[in-house]
Amino acid sequence: MPLPNGRSINTEDSGDTEVLLGKDAVPPRCCSARLSLAVLMFLGISVVYGLRVNLSVAMVAMVNATDPAGTRNTTADPACPLPSGPENSSRTLQQPDGTPQYRWDSETQGWLLGAFFFGYLCTQIPGGYLAGHYGGKIFLGVGVFGTAVLTVLTPLAAGWGSRWLFALRALEGFGEGVTFPAMMAMWTRWAPPLERSFLISLSGSGGSFGACLALPLTGYICEQLGWPAVFYLCGGAGCLWFVFWCILVSDDPRTHRRISEQERDYIINSIGAQGKGHGWSLPLVSMGLSVPLWAIIVTQMCSNWSFYTLLTSLPTYMNDILHFDLQSNGFLSALPYFCSVPVSLLSGVAADWLIMRQVFSITNVRKIFTFTGLVLPALFLIAVCYAGCSHILTVTFLTLSTSLGGTSSAGVYVNQIDIAPRYAGFLLGITNTFGTIPGVVAPIVTGYFTEDHTMAGWRTVFWVAAGINIGGAVIYTIFGSGKIQAWAVKEEEEDEEEEERAVGPS
């Protein structure tokens, strides 16, 4: 049903607190088209994160024990005691006969783990721009499919040499770079304002789920089938998902084939004119001068530093310092991401409830969830530094750090669609481009700090990540906002005036 006076929630002049829709106007979420879209996005993001992180675990199998003199400093004592007897399997990984292995030192591994992000940086902004104009379905789908096809070619590239593998991983990043901006561009047209936190948190939490699924499976597949099978199977899963995406998804609720009339009207009326694609021209100067946008950019860079540090280097820490065997390594590296999924979902539900009940304004809700999602993980990263060689404490603190980081999904990671719904895909392209810089730099810095495989080096890694996290929380708390910006409203008002002129006086 239409909103009062034809106005949408996004265009209310009252700021970021007034709620216009009553419960009777909201169709059930269960089995709805918008929830189905969120689930498909969840699965798609799970696939791309699986494709992104499988190299982190497979790397242990690809280089394990191939060059004892060159891959580690044999003059240094192990940071933690090696397991005795047959349990010392982290040093003697068994794979099927004929599985290739390579002599890559710590620095080379760092570059290979960071290669993905060199390509990932290039397509975020153009992907968000085009998805915002044309719709996100084709860009998200092709981004996943292209990355999956390239993943299948990983064993071939590795056999040709580390430079070829670096180039392939960069190409994977190039293809995958459009996925998150395209996802946000689709939610611009699909996510009612009172459900944004949950729907976007659900779809985005596929990243954590993909990581928690890929990490243990990678370890198991490496030992049972050899590391090349990891890339064949993960790539095949991405191709299969693409088929369902093409069949079941539509760019806009107006063109969806099975959406109910009630749900379609609810989505269109609650989003209003901001649910339409933006034009070719963009208010770039106003965006560049927007303090809330820069708060998002800086905060995401800070948050992503610790996220990417653990995502790419945690399996190496489990292997080099704690000496877990490969299967245990994969499972324990995945545990933090498994726990972060329910935290992200519950945070999304809680954030929507707080906004709907007007307990806090949108601005305060985003700040609360961002602050807790950055500061608490930082404190547990610091605790890891003093856990020593205790396997239980280390795994517990790392799990709590990553899990609690999931609360920020209802904070800064939703914020683009708050401040400029129509441009959310493009803005996510900008913020994710800056946010990807830590994905390039963090593995290289980690490799530099840990080249001697000492506990002191890893403590430096965790302290740096924690300090950057806290800095981001402070910046967002001061400068963040959940109010729609004036430069984002102007075009919407012009569109409404044009529509009124076209319809003529009633």
Side-chain angles (χ1 to χ4, degrees):
M1 58 185 291
L3 295 178
N5 301 320
R7 304 298 297 278
S8 75
I9 292 175
N10 281 316
T11 58
E12 279 300 302
D13 298 329
S14 56
D16 63 347
T17 58
E18 184 170 348
V19 177
L20 298 177
L21 286 171
K23 292 182 179 180
D24 294 338
V26 181
R29 188 184 295 163
C30 180
C31 301
S32 64
R34 63 193 188 278
L35 181 61
S36 298
L37 176 62
V39 171
L40 272 172
M41 282 186 179
F42 172 87
L43 295 174
I45 299 302
S46 298
V47 168
V48 296
Y49 258 81
L51 301 178
R52 185 184 303 189
V53 306
N54 52 22
L55 184 64
S56 300
V57 175
M59 183 72 73
V60 178
M62 295 166 79
V63 302
N64 184 64
T66 58
D67 188 13
T71 57
R72 63 185 66 250
N73 183 0
T74 56
T75 62
D77 293 330
C80 292
L82 291 169
S84 59
E87 295 181 357
N88 185 11
S89 58
S90 66
R91 307 295 98 193
T92 57
L93 172 69
Q94 297 297 318
Q95 296 189 89
D97 293 339
T99 303
Q101 292 181 307
Y102 306 102
R103 298 185 177 187
W104 296 332
D105 58 21
S106 179
E107 182 180 357
T108 300
Q109 294 176 50
W111 280 97
L112 290 174
L113 291 172
F116 174 92
F117 300 101
F118 283 93
Y120 195 62
L121 281 167
C122 299
T123 50
Q124 298 275 335
I125 294 176
Y129 175 70
L130 294 173
H133 185 79
Y134 290 110
K137 174 182 175 179
I138 186 66
F139 294 96
L140 200 159
V142 171
V144 177
F145 179 71
T147 307
V149 172
L150 290 170
T151 297
V152 174
L153 301 177
T154 298
L156 179 63
W160 287 352
S162 59
R163 292 184 179 181
W164 284 97
L165 181 56
F166 182 94
L168 181 76
R169 292 288 294 180
L171 280 175
E172 288 185 32
F174 187 88
E176 193 175 312
V178 303
T179 54
F180 277 93
M183 180 190 78
M184 190 63 76
M186 291 194 72
W187 283 130
T188 295
R189 307 183 187 203
W190 274 95
L194 296 182
E195 299 182 27
R196 284 173 181 166
S197 301
F198 172 76
L199 292 173
I200 297 175
S201 294
L202 172 57
S203 53
S205 65
S208 296
F209 181 78
C212 83
L213 192 64
L215 288 169
L217 282 180
T218 297
Y220 178 80
I221 294 170
C222 283
E223 292 198 333
Q224 299 300 317
L225 303 176
W227 64 261
V230 170
F231 302 100
Y232 299 141
L233 294 174
C234 290
C239 295
L240 179 63
W241 172 88
F242 180 66
V243 174
F244 289 96
W245 178 260
C246 291
I247 296 172
L248 300 176
V249 170
S250 175
D251 269 316
D252 194 286
R254 296 173 179 86
T255 59
H256 197 279
R257 285 178 291 185
R258 72 169 189 84
I259 191 172
S260 68
E261 182 178 351
Q262 181 190 19
E263 183 182 7
R264 183 192 63 214
D265 291 343
Y266 161 62
I267 294 173
I268 294 172
N269 291 331
S270 62
I271 294 176
Q274 287 281 0
K276 300 177 183 178
H278 58 67
W280 288 111
S281 62
L282 299 172
L284 295 176
V285 175
S286 298
M287 290 179 180
L289 297 176
S290 174
V291 173
L293 177 57
W294 279 105
I296 297 173
I297 291 171
V298 173
T299 305
Q300 286 197 191
M301 290 181 67
C302 295
S303 175
N304 283 359
W305 183 280
S306 60
F307 179 80
Y308 284 128
T309 295
L310 295 180
L311 189 68
T312 58
S313 302
L314 189 55
T316 302
Y317 179 77
M318 295 290 192
N319 181 74
D320 290 352
I321 302 299
L322 300 180
H323 312 297
F324 285 110
D325 63 86
L326 190 61
Q327 287 192 34
S328 299
N329 186 339
F331 173 77
L332 293 172
S333 296
L335 184 60
Y337 301 102
F338 175 79
C339 295
S340 73
V341 173
V343 173
S344 296
L345 296 180
L346 290 174
S347 297
V349 172
D352 283 337
W353 185 87
L354 291 171
I355 294 170
M356 182 178 64
R357 298 289 184 178
Q358 301 184 45
V359 178
F360 298 112
S361 68
I362 295 175
T363 296
N364 288 333
V365 168
R366 301 300 180 224
K367 288 183 177 183
I368 290 169
F369 283 91
T370 300
F371 189 86
T372 56
L374 271 70
V375 172
L376 294 180
L379 296 179
F380 283 109
L381 277 181
I382 294 172
V384 172
C385 299
Y386 300 99
C389 295
S390 171
H391 290 189
I392 294 176
L393 286 179
T394 299
V395 171
T396 299
F397 292 150
L398 287 172
T399 299
L400 288 171
S401 177
T402 304
S403 300
L404 294 172
T407 62
S408 64
S409 64
V412 66
Y413 288 98
V414 183
N415 201 203
Q416 291 93 341
I417 204 170
D418 294 322
I419 66 172
R422 170 170 291 183
Y423 304 110
F426 180 71
L427 295 187
L428 185 66
I430 295 174
T431 58
N432 229 20
T433 296
F434 282 95
T436 302
I437 294 174
V440 177
V441 180
I444 298 171
V445 172
T446 299
Y448 173 78
F449 283 138
T450 62
E451 59 184 354
D452 291 331
H453 306 279
T454 62
M455 183 71 78
W458 282 100
R459 282 177 180 158
T460 302
V461 169
F462 294 137
W463 264 107
V464 168
I468 293 174
N469 250 29
I470 293 173
V474 172
I475 289 172
Y476 188 81
T477 301
I478 297 173
F479 299 109
S481 174
K483 295 183 179 181
I484 187 169
Q485 300 299 291
W487 47 267
V489 176
K490 183 178 180 181
E491 186 177 341
E492 177 188 358
E493 293 174 344
E494 292 174 353
D495 284 351
E496 289 179 347
E497 290 174 0
E498 289 179 4
E499 289 179 2
E500 291 175 359
R501 286 195 297 267
V503 173
S506 57

